[in-house]
Amino acid sequence: MQILRWVSKLFLLSFFLASPLSLAQTINPLQTSVCAEADRVALLGFKARILKDTTDILSSWIGKDCCGGDWEGVQCNPATGRVTDLVLQGPATDSGIYMKGTLSPSLGSLASLEVMVISGMKHIAGPIPESFSTLTHLTQLVLEDNSLEGNIPPGLGRLPLLNILSLNGNRLRGQIPPSLGNFKKLQQLSLARNLLSGPIPTTFQNFLSLQSLDLSFNLLSGLIPDILGHFQNLTFIDLSNNQLSGLLPPSLFSLVKLQDLSLDHNQLTGRIPSQIAGLKSLTHLSLSSNRLTGQIPASISSLQNLWYLNLSRNGLSDPLPAIQGRGLPSLLSIDLSYNHLSLGTVPGWIKDRQLSDVHLAGCKLGGNLPKFTRPDSLSSLDLSDNFLVDGIAGFFTNMSNLQKLKLSNNHLKFDLLDMKLPDGISSIEIQSNQLSGFLSRILNNRTSSFLEVLDVSGNQISGTMPEFIEGLSLKVLNIGSNKIAGQFPGSISNLKELERMDISRNQITGTIPTTLGLLSNLQWLDLSINRLTGKIPTSLLGIANLRHANFRANRLCGEIPQGRPYNIFPAGAYAHNLCLCGKPLPLCRTKK
């Protein structure tokens, strides 16, 4: 669901960027004006501050005519020869393509600049130059996903034509300047993923044209200002992952065009008001991880377009509203986990719908696993931390689209032989139940290549560790706290994607295979409390990304691999073995 939300955010950004950029990128083949010398000097001033450019964009900035079409990312007015657009965009993925340096104040000399986009460069640091406040023709300022620091310059409030301001994904600190409220034409404001603190300025009441507001993942505090209800054109609000407190402002529920409202991971209190029915266009509602109390209002059922509803991790109480047949007709995803709900059984209006995500963890469900009327629609199911006891036989029948399953911390008692998993499943978490049988019932030559997470720890699984075939995509393997015996198979090296492995608290014997050192992506390794013998192989020094390792309480002997991180892990990671030595333990007496 998070992917879908980011897609919607990117769609909003592309909607606002598409029209002006496409016009700016149209080059008149008959243009004769060369770029103004002052603009060329300003651009070269920016180039001079970039110490490293693996994008290779700036290598095209040569010659005297920056408007001839050869300077990548630069567009001009062909009639005047003045630079109007500077668009430098790095890749969206975390690749090795970036620019390293700082933003030059010389860019403030581009007097005719209308669009400035310098985003995704990762290592452009330093402050936003105060000189940018002189770019009075600027309509779009996008400085996303860099490493910019310091405060947001208050002088940016002097840009009268600005309709998009996006400073997402930097390291900006301090309070949001009240002067930003001067933007009369602002349509999109995005300051997410920074370190901004303090309140949301009340001067934002001037944003009469605002359509999208994203202040998520900051340190903002105080109340959600009631002025948000004045922005009747708002379609997107994300204030999640801050420290906002107080009640939900009543005016918020008069925004009839609002489609996406995310206030999760704050400290909001009080009830969800019945006026929520006023959000006629709402498709996405996330209020999770707050301190909301009381009952879910029945009026929520009138939200005809709502497809995503997340009210988890609050203090909401029984009873749930009785949603009739026509209520919430568009609902696809629901999460009511970890409230003060005692459901007993899954309500019919949830069980009988064609839903893709059902998350009811910690809702005091009991008895057998529920039978869903439309199991073929389920993509993600979380019924963990309940009191479910049985019903695994036939439970996965027709769940052909299930990708993520969580049934952990219940009282389920069955043999793994009885669990017929869907072919395309990618994540299985059934830890802390009473499962028995052999692990080879799940991990065998028929295991789906889509499986990335397997956690069956804290059960009564026996037998041996299976051989691991090539082609598996496992990233997390947790089989700790079971009754698994036998040797540690050398075929573990076939799990090339593995990032986290826990086989602790079993009865595994033999030596640690040297092939374990081939798992270059491994970050977490726990082999503690088994019956492993021999040395810790030096091949493990090849796991460069390892952040945690535990070899405690085995029968290991010999010198600990003397290299990072093994010789700097705490001594407790090697305690209670036969005769391990070398840093961080006492030095070995001999090399034998």
Side-chain angles (χ1 to χ4, degrees):
M1 306 315 299
Q2 188 69 15
I3 293 175
L4 291 175
R5 294 195 52 224
W6 279 111
V7 168
S8 66
K9 292 182 181 181
L10 289 173
F11 174 78
L12 281 167
L13 181 59
S14 62
F15 174 80
F16 291 118
L17 287 176
S19 177
L21 287 183
S22 60
L23 288 174
Q25 290 168 347
T26 302
I27 301 175
N28 183 354
L30 300 178
Q31 73 179 47
T32 57
S33 299
V34 297
C35 73
E37 179 64 14
D39 288 0
R40 189 179 76 91
V41 171
L43 292 173
L44 292 178
F46 168 78
K47 182 178 180 179
R49 291 285 191 100
I50 300 302
L51 306 177
K52 189 173 183 179
D53 176 22
T54 66
T55 70
D56 208 31
I57 292 175
L58 300 182
S59 64
S60 67
W61 288 19
I62 55 177
K64 291 187 176 297
D65 188 5
C66 63
C67 292
D70 295 330
W71 287 40
E72 187 175 348
V74 178
Q75 298 295 335
C76 303
N77 183 328
T80 64
R82 302 307 301 262
V83 174
T84 57
D85 293 52
L86 177 61
V87 181
L88 308 175
Q89 292 178 294
T93 57
D94 187 15
S95 65
I97 299 177
Y98 61 88
M99 288 185 186
K100 183 176 182 180
T102 58
L103 292 177
S104 173
S106 68
L107 293 178
S109 302
L110 297 173
S112 297
L113 196 66
E114 298 173 8
V115 174
M116 184 193 293
V117 178
I118 304 175
S119 66
M121 294 305 175
K122 303 180 183 65
H123 300 299
I124 293 183
I128 299 173
E130 293 279 354
S131 62
F132 285 10
S133 62
T134 64
L135 300 172
T136 55
H137 293 282
L138 209 60
T139 62
Q140 301 176 24
L141 178 58
V142 179
L143 304 174
E144 295 181 344
D145 297 316
N146 296 297
S147 297
L148 299 173
E149 303 157 331
N151 297 333
I152 299 174
L156 293 183
R158 297 197 294 269
L159 303 178
L161 304 180
L162 206 64
N163 55 56
I164 294 178
L165 175 61
S166 182
L167 307 176
N168 286 356
N170 285 287
R171 301 170 184 172
L172 300 171
R173 296 179 176 271
Q175 297 192 7
I176 301 173
S179 61
L180 297 191
N182 297 335
F183 297 139
K184 305 293 185 183
K185 298 184 178 181
L186 199 67
Q187 297 178 6
Q188 178 177 334
L189 176 62
S190 300
L191 306 177
R193 292 179 287 120
N194 280 288
L195 300 168
L196 300 171
S197 57
I200 299 173
T202 56
T203 54
F204 280 14
Q205 63 187 347
N206 299 322
F207 293 160
L208 300 181
S209 301
L210 197 65
Q211 299 178 26
S212 175
L213 176 64
D214 189 352
L215 305 178
S216 60
F217 289 93
N218 277 290
L219 303 171
L220 300 175
S221 57
L223 305 178
I224 298 176
D226 207 38
I227 57 173
L228 292 185
H230 300 161
F231 310 148
Q232 290 301 309
N233 292 318
L234 268 175
T235 61
F236 181 94
I237 298 177
D238 191 348
L239 306 179
S240 64
N241 292 276
N242 279 288
Q243 300 170 12
L244 299 169
S245 57
L247 305 178
L248 296 169
S251 69
L252 195 63
F253 304 105
S254 65
L255 299 174
V256 295
K257 295 182 181 179
L258 190 64
Q259 298 175 16
D260 192 316
L261 177 60
S262 298
L263 305 176
D264 51 281
H265 292 85
N266 279 289
Q267 300 169 17
L268 302 174
T269 55
R271 295 172 172 263
I272 302 173
S274 59
Q275 292 91 330
I276 196 170
L279 300 176
K280 302 294 186 184
S281 303
L282 200 64
T283 62
H284 184 286
L285 176 63
S286 182
L287 302 176
S288 67
S289 299
N290 280 288
R291 301 171 184 174
L292 301 172
T293 55
Q295 298 172 4
I296 301 171
S299 60
I300 203 169
S301 65
S302 65
L303 298 177
Q304 298 293 300
N305 300 303
L306 191 69
W307 65 267
Y308 179 88
L309 175 62
N310 190 345
L311 305 178
S312 64
R313 299 183 185 277
N314 280 287
L316 302 173
S317 55
D318 295 317
L320 286 183
I323 308 294
Q324 302 302 322
R326 295 184 179 181
L328 295 174
S330 303
L331 192 65
L332 292 176
S333 176
I334 186 167
D335 192 344
L336 304 178
S337 303
Y338 303 113
N339 280 285
H340 296 159
L341 299 173
S342 299
L343 299 184
T345 59
V346 177
W349 63 270
I350 296 177
K351 187 170 57 177
D352 298 336
R353 286 173 179 262
Q354 188 173 349
L355 300 177
S356 64
D357 306 304
V358 175
H359 295 178
L360 298 174
C363 288
K364 294 185 172 62
L365 298 172
N368 289 345
L369 291 163
K371 296 294 184 182
F372 292 92
T373 305
R374 294 296 305 270
D376 57 316
S377 67
L378 284 171
S379 171
S380 177
L381 179 63
D382 186 356
L383 303 177
S384 54
D385 294 290
N386 282 296
F387 301 97
L388 300 167
V389 295
D390 203 352
I392 198 68
F395 178 67
F396 298 106
T397 303
N398 296 325
M399 287 191 184
S400 54
N401 292 307
L402 190 66
Q403 297 178 29
K404 295 184 178 181
L405 172 68
K406 291 185 179 182
L407 297 175
S408 56
N409 293 295
N410 277 284
H411 301 307
L412 294 169
K413 187 175 184 179
F414 60 85
D415 192 299
L416 291 178
L417 183 62
D418 300 326
M419 188 171 65
K420 310 295 185 184
L421 291 166
D423 291 336
I425 198 162
S426 64
S427 179
I428 304 169
E429 298 182 40
I430 322 181
Q431 66 266 33
S432 301
N433 280 283
Q434 301 175 44
L435 278 58
S436 59
F438 299 156
L439 192 60
S440 57
R441 302 297 187 187
I442 299 177
L443 292 175
N444 51 53
N445 57 9
R446 298 182 304 276
T447 301
S448 169
S449 60
F450 296 106
L451 186 63
E452 294 184 349
V453 176
L454 176 62
D455 190 341
V456 291
S457 59
N459 283 288
Q460 299 173 19
I461 298 171
S462 56
T464 61
M465 288 182 69
E467 295 291 338
F468 301 101
I469 63 171
E470 292 185 5
L472 291 178
S473 302
L474 271 176
K475 294 182 178 179
V476 175
L477 175 62
N478 189 348
I479 59 174
S481 300
N482 278 287
K483 299 178 180 179
I484 299 171
Q487 298 203 355
F488 196 151
S491 57
I492 189 69
S493 59
N494 286 329
L495 302 183
K496 300 184 185 303
E497 306 296 323
L498 201 64
E499 298 175 0
R500 184 182 181 101
M501 180 167 67
D502 187 342
I503 65 170
S504 64
R505 298 179 183 274
N506 280 287
Q507 301 163 23
I508 297 171
T509 58
T511 59
I512 301 171
T514 58
T515 53
L516 186 63
L518 298 175
L519 301 182
S520 58
N521 294 317
L522 201 64
Q523 300 175 27
W524 178 287
L525 176 65
D526 195 339
L527 310 182
S528 63
I529 317 181
N530 278 287
R531 299 173 184 176
L532 295 169
T533 57
K535 298 179 64 175
I536 299 174
T538 56
S539 63
L540 268 60
L541 290 170
I543 309 177
N545 296 320
L546 199 65
R547 299 291 178 266
H548 170 89
N550 193 347
F551 302 91
R552 183 173 66 90
N554 279 284
R555 299 172 182 176
L556 299 169
C557 196
E559 187 176 28
I560 294 168
Q562 290 304 293
R564 285 179 174 267
Y566 300 94
N567 56 359
I568 61 171
F569 283 139
Y574 304 100
H576 305 294
N577 277 283
L578 282 183
C579 50
L580 285 177
C581 57
K583 288 184 178 180
L585 299 181
L587 296 179
C588 300
R589 293 183 181 180
T590 69
K591 290 293 183 181
K592 293 183 181 181

